[in-house]
């Protein structure tokens, strides 16, 4: 049977694979990053109201006007960034479609795309889908960005760099100096920044700085975010793209042909959340995540894992060398079977899996579930 060559290098998503394994074993799923707590009532009521009002047909392909306008107001309020909702915003089916649409719209076959390693699972396959070549730059956990190393990755074929801050899976929040260094390189080489800021409001050591706010960067930055993490609705699939007018025109065409549009009633609800949830919602959410982070990181350390506490996002990479000598896929499998806790092996996020002795824990869970996971891990470790 024939299948297209572009798919041959792809493997099944390890994140989703671990979720299935967790379900088979009744394990606590700290693998796939989705919250187990409710979304804000305001958001849910607004979605119900929109469906009752029969907002059931296609929204405008590039996004319902109330959502684009609410996002423009939010970017102004949080970051002082002026965005034109008519020409510079596209709403997509999650940040995942956003990144794919942006790459397909801006990158040609043969172009190079710089990707930090470890990376989020999708970036490599996204680049491959457009015939581009991902160029990996190591970004070790807990270390500052090595700008000289990054500079060496830029060449005549470099079209774009993918940035993800706060970062999945490392928990890094890029500093102002690091972002300025990246910005200078991109300006010198005429390179676009594709920045995935889906964890923008989940920051412990910040602030979160959108690279689009740096001088001269809005014109070469494509900012991706969405409702999934900020409002605990990963299944709603509402993503957003902010890009300069000419780039947006190309991105909207790709998005239209891929998916036509994101769910119309849910766009109305996210617009209302952006407009009406107070600042305390966002600070309260970050505080709650900080407590979850401290709970899980404390338990992991007691159990014998080694880690650097994340500065943002809701994942922690933990070294298990004191608890096992096998490779990380084998260890993650054993952790599901023997401890009843599911994780993602780091090898899913790096190019040389053989050396990895780390797994990723997601802590976007209620404290009682994290306490239960902590107990299981301590028992597993014999502590
Ligand atoms: N972003 C989440 C994670 O990294 C969910 C990934 C997914 O399954 N789409 O776990």
């Amino acid at each position: 049977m024939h299948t297209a060559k572009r798919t041959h290098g792809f493997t099944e998503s390890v994140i989703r694979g671990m979720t299935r394994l967790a379900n088979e074993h009744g394990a606590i799923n700290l693998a796939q990053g989705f919250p187990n707590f409710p979304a804000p009532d305001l958001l849910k009521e607004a979605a119900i109201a929109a469906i009752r009002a029969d907002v059931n047909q296609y929204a405008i392909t590039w996004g319902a006007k109330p959502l684009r306008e609410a996002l423009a107001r939010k970017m102004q309020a949080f970051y002082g960034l002026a965005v034109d909702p008519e020409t510079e915003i596209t709403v997509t089916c999650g940040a995942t479609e956003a990144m794919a649409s942006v790459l397909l719209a801006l990158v040609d076959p043969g172009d190079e795309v710089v990707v930090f390693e470890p990376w989020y699972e999708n970036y490599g396959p996204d680049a491959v889908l457009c015939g581009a070549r991902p160029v990996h730059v190591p970004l070790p956990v807990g270390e500052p960005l090595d700008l000289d190393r990054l500079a060496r990755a830029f060449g005549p074929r470099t079209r774009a760099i993918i940035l993800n801050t706060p970062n999945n899976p490392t928990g890094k929040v890029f500093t102002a100096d690091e972002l300025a260094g990246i910005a200078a390189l991109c300006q010198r080489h005429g390179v676009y920044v594709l920045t995935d800021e889906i964890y923008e409001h989940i920051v412990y050591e910040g602030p979160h700085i959108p690279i689009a706010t740096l001088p001269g960067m809005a014109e070469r930055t494509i900012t991706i975010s969405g409702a999934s993490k900020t409002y605990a609705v990963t299944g709603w699939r509402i993503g957003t793209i902010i890009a300069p007018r000419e780039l947006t025109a190309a991105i909207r065409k790709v998005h239209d042909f891929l998916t036509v549009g994101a769910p119309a009633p849910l766009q109305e609800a996210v617009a209302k959340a952006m407009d009406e949830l107070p600042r305390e919602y966002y600070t309260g959410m970050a505080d709650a995540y900080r407590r979850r982070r401290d709970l899980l990181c404390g338990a992991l350390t007691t159990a014998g894992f080694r880690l650097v506490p994340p500065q943002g996002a809701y994942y922690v990479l933990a070294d298990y060398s004191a608890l096992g000598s096998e490779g990380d896929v084998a260890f993650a499998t054993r952790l599901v079977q023997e401890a009843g806790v599911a994780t993602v092996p780091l090898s899913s996020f790096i190019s040389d899996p053989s050396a990895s002795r780390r797994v990723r824990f997601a802590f976007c869970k209620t404290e009682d579930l994290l306490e239960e996971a902590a107990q299981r891990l301590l028992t597993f470790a014999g502590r």
Side-chain angles (χ1 to χ4, degrees):
M1 215 90 87
H2 176 83
T3 54
K5 287 190 188 63
R6 72 174 68 86
T7 67
H8 293 181
F10 296 171
T11 47
E12 185 205 25
S13 157
V14 178
I15 297 176
R16 259 91 70 203
M18 287 307 292
T19 284
R20 269 195 300 282
L21 193 67
N23 293 343
E24 277 169 32
H25 287 81
I28 296 176
N29 187 356
L30 303 187
Q32 195 175 18
F34 60 87
N36 71 331
F37 42 83
D41 282 336
L42 180 143
L43 197 69
K44 293 192 286 192
E45 294 304 327
I48 292 162
I51 291 173
R52 289 226 166 89
D54 274 316
V55 183
N56 294 323
Q57 312 311 325
Y58 306 118
I60 299 172
T61 172
W62 52 81
K65 194 176 172 73
L67 178 52
R68 284 180 286 113
E69 291 181 343
L71 177 60
R73 282 190 288 272
K74 180 168 174 283
M75 294 306 283
Q76 182 64 250
F78 274 88
Y79 308 119
L81 208 57
V83 178
D84 179 359
E86 290 307 320
T87 60
E88 297 179 327
I89 293 179
T90 310
V91 179
T92 56
C93 296
T96 299
E97 190 225 308
M99 185 58 81
S101 291
V102 168
L103 282 163
L104 286 165
L106 305 187
V107 170
D108 275 318
D111 285 353
E112 291 178 357
V113 177
V114 176
V115 180
F116 290 111
E117 179 174 355
W119 53 71
Y120 175 57
E121 248 188 9
N122 285 38
Y123 301 154
D126 282 348
V128 170
L129 281 176
C130 7
R133 195 172 77 85
V135 176
H136 302 137
V137 174
L139 186 63
V141 180
E143 286 181 26
L145 173 62
D146 180 347
L147 271 177
D148 294 331
R149 177 69 188 76
L150 180 62
R152 290 203 296 280
F154 280 65
R157 288 177 168 269
T158 310
R159 178 74 63 198
I161 177 170
I162 297 181
L163 182 65
N164 173 216
T165 183
N167 187 268
N168 176 8
T170 66
K172 181 180 179 65
V173 174
F174 284 73
T175 65
D177 284 350
E178 289 172 332
L179 294 173
I182 296 170
L185 272 175
C186 291
Q187 286 169 338
R188 192 173 323 138
H189 291 270
V191 164
Y192 295 129
V193 181
L194 280 44
T195 177
D196 176 350
E197 301 185 4
I198 190 84
Y199 302 96
E200 60 184 310
H201 295 294
I202 304 176
V203 178
Y204 320 111
E205 285 153 58
H208 165 66
I209 304 169
I211 196 168
T213 59
L214 271 60
M217 285 307 287
E219 65 201 57
R220 62 176 65 257
T221 300
I222 298 88
T223 305
I224 293 171
S225 190
S228 298
K229 273 64 181 187
T230 301
Y231 304 121
V233 286
T234 62
W236 282 23
R237 315 311 300 133
I238 303 289
T240 58
I241 304 168
I242 297 172
R245 182 191 192 107
E246 296 76 20
L247 305 186
T248 295
I251 292 164
R252 285 178 174 181
K253 285 188 271 186
V254 175
H255 157 72
D256 189 6
F257 288 124
L258 281 180
T259 64
V260 181
L266 306 184
Q267 293 193 52
E268 301 292 327
V270 173
K272 199 168 162 70
M274 284 183 179
D275 274 337
E276 295 185 16
L277 284 174
R279 282 292 172 123
E280 296 74 56
Y281 169 77
Y282 299 91
T283 49
M285 179 184 62
D287 288 345
Y289 271 116
R290 182 191 300 279
R291 288 194 296 276
R292 296 176 189 124
R293 175 193 72 157
D294 293 346
L295 192 166
L296 183 69
C297 290
L300 288 174
T301 306
T302 308
F305 290 89
R306 282 188 297 125
L307 58 89
V308 178
Q311 302 168 321
Y314 52 50
Y315 308 97
V316 58
L317 287 173
D319 182 306
Y320 59 81
S321 312
L323 299 166
S325 54
E326 66 267 62
D328 63 5
V329 174
F331 181 80
T333 307
R334 187 156 72 86
L335 208 58
V336 171
Q337 292 164 344
E338 295 179 14
V341 176
T343 59
V344 182
L346 175 66
S347 53
S348 168
F349 308 95
I350 55 176
S351 47
D352 175 15
S354 61
S356 166
R357 291 294 178 272
R358 281 182 288 176
V359 291
R360 187 194 77 170
F361 290 83
F363 52 87
C364 41
K365 306 293 174 190
T366 46
E367 287 182 45
D368 60 339
L369 192 67
L370 290 174
E371 296 274 12
E372 170 65 24
Q375 271 315 316
R376 291 183 184 196
L377 290 165
L378 291 169
T379 306
F380 168 81
R383 315 266 159 144

